[in-house]
Each structure stands twice: as structure tokens, then as C-alpha cells.
């Protein structure tokens, strides 16, 4: 897993959200972009993380941030997740893992003593010029907004 670092140019990605709308890095030029990768929609940790970001969304907007959630879930699963919790930001359905792999967050994980490959919960903060300004790999799901808006 080759994780991107602060100062690296963010990968130019293209993926569809829960409504089938395509998002690319260039759509966000001139804004700060938070791209948060989570393992699976509607699971406890992912829900806590996304709800914390939702509850602090006005703070992000006030500081010129856009937010994008990304997982390998289908558009339908992302749609249900977004609708159920009323998220004000898009959720990308990266079923082919092209965005996940471009950011280097796919790799070995451990859960209850078992090892397997999956999405490592990681958040990237990208500046207005497409450069990675921060990488948060030790995500605290319940207070994630404060980790980003330090």
C-alpha cells in the first residue's frame, strides 16, 4: 500500500456518486477538499464518522471546504446511506476501486484476529491547488471533524 504524503499532488480521480453524478479532482479547484475513505456504508464506525462530519458541515463550508466520502459500496448502497443520515455531501461509489487504489488506501487489515484486504480508513485534505495538505490515518470516528479542522 503506497500511501500518499503531505506535499504530494493529489491523484486526478473520476468516480460516480450515489446519484450517478461524476466527480473529478478538477471539479474542486479553488476549494479545499476533504476526501474521506471508509470501509463500508451503514456500519457503526463509518456511520459515526460521516455523522460527525455532517454535524460540523457548516464549519467546513465556512472555511471553504468541500467533502467527499468514498467506499467500494454500490451507488444504491451509497444512496441509502446518504438518505438515511441526511448527509449534505456526496458519497462516491468506487466499486472498481480506482480512486481507492489511486490514493493507496487498499491493503491488509486485521479484524478480530483475521487478516484480509480492505479499505484502510484514511482522510486526505487537499488544498485549493490540488496538493495534499494533510493525511489522517488514525481516524477518530466520533470526533473526526476536529481532527481535520484543527
Amino acid at each position: 500500500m503506497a500511501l500518499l504524503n503531505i506535499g504530494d499532488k493529489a491523484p486526478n480521480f473520476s468516480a460516480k456518486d450515489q446519484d450517478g453524478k461524476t466527480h473529478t479532482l478538477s471539479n474542486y479547484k479553488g476549494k479545499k477538499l476533504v476526501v474521506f475513505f471508509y470501509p463500508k456504508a451503514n456500519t457503526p464506525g463509518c456511520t459515526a464518522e460521516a455523522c460527525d462530519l455532517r454535524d460540523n458541515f457548516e464549519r467546513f463550508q465556512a472555511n471553504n471546504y468541500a467533502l467527499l466520502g468514498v467506499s467500494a459500496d454500490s451507488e444504491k448502497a451509497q444512496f441509502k446511506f446518504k438518505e438515511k443520515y441526511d448527509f449534505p455531501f456526496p458519497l462516491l461509489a468506487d466499486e472498481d476501486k480506482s480512486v481507492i487504489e489511486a490514493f493507496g488506501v487498499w491493503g491488509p487489515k486485521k479484524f478480530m484476529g483475521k487478516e484480509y484486504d480492505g479499505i484502510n480508513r484514511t482522510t486526505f485534505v487537499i488544498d485549493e491547488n490540488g496538493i495534499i495538505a494533510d493525511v489522517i490515518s488514525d481516524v477518530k470516528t466520533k470526533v473526526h471533524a476536529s481532527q481535520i479542522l484543527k
Side-chain angles (χ1 to χ4, degrees), residues 61-137:
Q61 283 188 307
N63 288 289
N64 196 34
Y65 283 95
L67 280 77
L68 278 179
V70 185
S71 75
D73 292 297
S74 67
E75 282 180 34
K76 184 178 177 185
Q78 298 290 45
F79 179 84
K80 285 181 178 174
F81 188 37
K82 184 178 195 299
E83 196 172 61
K84 181 175 181 179
Y85 294 100
D86 198 26
F87 297 135
F89 43 79
L91 301 175
L92 301 186
D94 190 25
E95 290 184 276
D96 69 359
K97 300 182 190 73
S98 62
V99 181
I100 292 161
E101 289 174 355
F103 278 83
V105 298
W106 183 262
K109 298 175 65 159
K110 261 191 181 158
F111 183 67
M112 295 175 73
K114 290 181 102 174
E115 257 195 54
Y116 61 97
D117 280 347
I119 296 171
N120 288 280
R121 186 185 312 277
T122 310
T123 296
F124 296 87
V125 180
I126 302 167
D127 74 12
E128 296 87 344
N129 301 308
I131 304 298
I132 295 172
D134 199 6
V135 179
I136 303 165
S137 52

